[in-house]
Amino acid sequence: MNNKQGFVVNCALGALFLGVSLSVSADGDPESGQQLSMKGDGSGAPCMACHGPNGEGNAAGAFPYIAGMNEQYLYRQLKAYQTSDRNNAVMSMNIDNFSDQQLQDIAAYYASLDKPTSTAESANSGLIKQGERLVNVGDWDNYIPPCSTCHGPNNRGVDENFPGIAGQHSSYIKQQINAWKSGNRKTDKVQLMEAVAKRLSDEQIEAVSAYLASIPAAE
Ligand code: HEC
Ligand code: HEC
């Protein structure tokens, strides 16, 4: 088996492992979550101050859209800021006082909202073309599989393990890929994203972020 085949097999095994190991059932109360999202955790700001009144996020601040994402995925990410598997000074301080049940409720609330339909960003068309190719075809010379093999049809996500990345703000996508590269994000138990991130050049990161931000998050 050559390196390239080895990497593909590893990805497939990793995906299988994630699917089996990370399925936890949760039981959040969206109404309580909505209250908590407006009040904040006592020391931080209300969620909407950064993520917007409908969870649509904000490109200028690299605040991701969080509306309509999978409930378990959201819960796991919120927990990761508490345990420092994700390190971000702007975000972590807003949730550090919430209990597990409160995080679960907040996750249920944002999961119940519709994904934003109008976040699409524009960018240089050459960059978008380059990004489109990387996202849908990959760059096999550098062992980069198409993002869509894991992130699903139209990159809109599959279950609680593979988040939708279509229509996400480019500033935030860039920040995440760089967080994996630098070790600031370790949420990915089997390192699927770390492996991808480390193979992407700065130019490729610009390109995939520009393309993904230009396509709709949902129908
Ligand atoms: C002061 C601004 C700010 C506030 C207030 C804030 N956030 Fe965030 N949030 C951010 C930033 C910046 C990021 C991206 C951080 C990073 O790079 O990991 C983020 C990331 C997230 C993510 C990760 C999304 C993903 O796709 O993985 C979730 C979930 C989230 N925030 C939920 C919340 C909730 C719930 C609240 C309210 C309790 C909240 N945030 C309050 C700025 C904020
Ligand atoms: C082998 C599978 C795989 C491939 C290929 C892959 N990803 Fe991922 N990606 C993941 C997993 C798994 C996660 C969730 C990590 C976690 O649990 O925090 C993720 C998360 C992300 C996130 C964070 C989303 C959020 O809301 O915080 C971004 C951004 C991302 N991937 C971008 C990309 C891009 C761009 C590509 C293509 C260049 C790509 N991914 C290819 C598996 C993959």
Side-chain angles (χ1 to χ4, degrees), residues 7 11 144-145 147 177 191-200:
F7 180 61
C11 285
I144 299 166
C147 316
I177 295 174
Q191 324 265 4
L192 292 178
M193 258 325 280
E194 191 184 315
V196 174
K198 290 198 163 149
R199 291 179 168 89
L200 290 168

Side-chain angles (χ1 to χ4, degrees), residues 16-86:
L16 204 67
F17 173 72
L18 267 178
V20 178
S21 68
L22 297 177
S23 319
V24 274
S25 68
D27 198 24
D29 170 3
E31 276 169 37
S32 149
Q34 180 173 21
Q35 299 298 319
L36 294 167
S37 77
M38 293 188 293
K39 276 192 288 202
D41 78 340
S43 67
C47 315
M48 66 177 61
C50 296
H51 294 283
N54 302 306
E56 70 276 26
N58 176 301
F63 307 142
Y65 83 72
I66 53 176
M69 294 189 90
N70 178 279
E71 178 176 345
Q72 316 305 343
Y73 181 79
L74 285 175
Y75 171 75
R76 198 155 52 75
Q77 299 306 320
L78 290 171
K79 193 68 199 161
Y81 288 112
Q82 284 190 341
T83 59
S84 298
D85 282 340
R86 269 183 96 159

Side-chain angles (χ1 to χ4, degrees), residues 76-123:
R76 198 155 52 75
Q77 299 306 320
L78 290 171
K79 193 68 199 161
Y81 288 112
Q82 284 190 341
T83 59
S84 298
D85 282 340
R86 269 183 96 159
N87 285 306
N88 182 273
V90 182
M91 175 56 205
S92 304
M93 60 177 293
N94 300 300
I95 51 128
D96 47 4
N97 297 326
F98 286 128
S99 69
D100 285 359
Q101 184 60 53
Q102 288 174 317
L103 293 182
Q104 204 63 260
D105 293 349
I106 293 171
Y109 167 61
Y110 280 106
S112 76
L113 301 180
D114 290 335
K115 282 195 182 183
T117 48
S118 60
T119 53
E121 295 172 27
S122 58

Side-chain angles (χ1 to χ4, degrees), residues 7 11-12 15 18 22 64-65 69 73 76-77 86 134-135 144-151 160-165 168 172-174 176-177 180 185 187-189 192-193 196 200 208-209 212:
F7 180 61
C11 285
L18 267 178
L22 297 177
Y65 83 72
M69 294 189 90
Y73 181 79
R76 198 155 52 75
Q77 299 306 320
R86 269 183 96 159
L134 272 165
V135 167
I144 299 166
C147 316
S148 54
T149 51
C150 292
H151 289 280
E160 74 247 47
N161 296 313
F162 302 101
I165 51 176
Q168 188 53 277
Y172 171 76
I173 296 175
K174 250 187 283 181
Q176 297 319 295
I177 295 174
W180 269 296
R185 182 168 174 174
T187 42
D188 193 346
K189 299 287 177 257
L192 292 178
M193 258 325 280
V196 174
L200 290 168
V208 291
S209 305
L212 288 166

